Amino acid sequence: MVAPELIKAAQSGDRDALITLLREIENHVYRTAYYILGNEQDAMDAAQEALIRIYTKINSYEEKAQFKTWVQRIVTNLCIDKFRRTKPTVSIEQHEMSFTASQTVEDEVMSSYIAQDIREAIDKLPEHHRTVVVLRYLQDFSYNEIAESLNLPINTVKSYLFRARQQLQTILREYKKPSRDAVRG
């Protein structure tokens, strides 16, 4: 993710290195916040707050943990705090669709609906399940990295993921039922 030399330079007081470091991680920080909070404005606020916290606490980072994990813990904790303070909202923004030659318009529209269903299903998960799903499947963290980021035992992470997958299957089955009935009717 980030070169160790850049981290050390930032910790030693090199302001340019610190700014470069923050620019390298800002998209990752925002993406994580968005996946957890599900709302663009809240994600922007949380990402900005996380970057400020990283900026002010860079000297507390120790090499015994991966930098990516340290950053993730900061972002996740801020998002969890923000989520607890506010009720979640679902963004109904339309995302720009890009059509490729290999997909038809219908395929692209169906993919968009499926992605929206999955996003809404993830939003319905309890906070601790949603967080591990985001870290595992959307941020591609290993079980160990998730455990370290959330300060949880690895078996708890596995259990949360197992339960979250079961809940997602149930929720997504419910999404499919009305569309099947509408086709029959």
Side-chain angles (χ1 to χ4, degrees):
M1 182 175 172
V2 176
E5 302 81 33
L6 184 61
I7 297 167
K8 287 180 184 174
Q11 287 180 313
S12 70
D14 182 340
R15 190 172 180 338
D16 291 336
L18 183 55
I19 291 169
T20 301
L21 174 76
L22 292 173
R23 283 193 179 129
E24 283 191 25
I25 64 171
E26 70 183 335
N27 286 335
H28 171 77
V29 168
Y30 170 78
R31 219 173 32 248
T32 299
Y34 182 80
Y35 286 134
I36 292 173
L37 298 171
N39 173 302
E40 186 175 344
Q41 189 60 47
D42 289 344
M44 287 172 43
D45 292 345
Q48 183 176 20
E49 197 174 330
L51 290 170
I52 291 169
R53 188 157 301 167
I54 292 163
Y55 177 87
T56 59
K57 302 222 180 255
I58 190 69
N59 288 327
S60 69
Y61 167 70
E62 298 174 4
E63 286 186 37
K64 64 183 179 183
Q66 288 185 15
F67 185 72
K68 168 177 140 177
T69 304
W70 181 76
V71 167
Q72 193 64 48
R73 180 177 287 178
I74 290 171
V75 176
T76 302
N77 287 341
L78 282 168
C79 289
I80 289 170
D81 289 346
K82 190 170 205 40
F83 186 79
R84 286 180 181 152
R85 287 192 306 260
T86 61
K87 295 239 182 234
T89 58
V90 176
S91 174
I92 56 171
E93 281 180 21
Q94 290 295 325
H95 295 283
E96 188 176 319
M97 288 192 264
S98 59
F99 298 103
T100 61
S102 63
Q103 285 189 312
T104 66
V105 172
E106 292 84 6
D107 290 341
E108 192 67 33
V109 170
M110 286 307 297
S111 293
S112 175
Y113 282 127
I114 291 168
Q116 182 179 353
D117 288 350
I118 292 170
R119 176 74 235 163
E120 288 175 7
I122 290 171
D123 286 344
K124 289 181 180 182
L125 293 174
E127 162 189 319
H128 55 285
H129 289 169
R130 181 177 337 106
T131 302
V132 295
V133 165
V134 165
L135 294 178
R136 178 71 183 126
Y137 298 109
L138 302 176
Q139 296 295 341
D140 203 28
F141 271 47
S142 69
Y143 292 124
N144 288 331
E145 290 170 330
I146 296 169
E148 192 175 325
S149 291
L150 300 177
N151 200 25
L152 294 172
I154 195 159
N155 286 335
T156 302
V157 170
K158 290 178 181 179
S159 173
Y160 284 178
L161 280 169
F162 177 78
R163 289 187 190 126
R165 284 190 298 263
Q166 287 181 321
Q167 290 172 327
L168 285 171
Q169 285 177 340
T170 301
I171 293 167
L172 290 170
R173 267 192 223 114
E174 292 302 314
Y175 280 128
K176 289 175 90 176
K177 282 183 183 176
S179 64
R180 259 195 255 134
D181 293 342
V183 171
R184 287 184 194 151

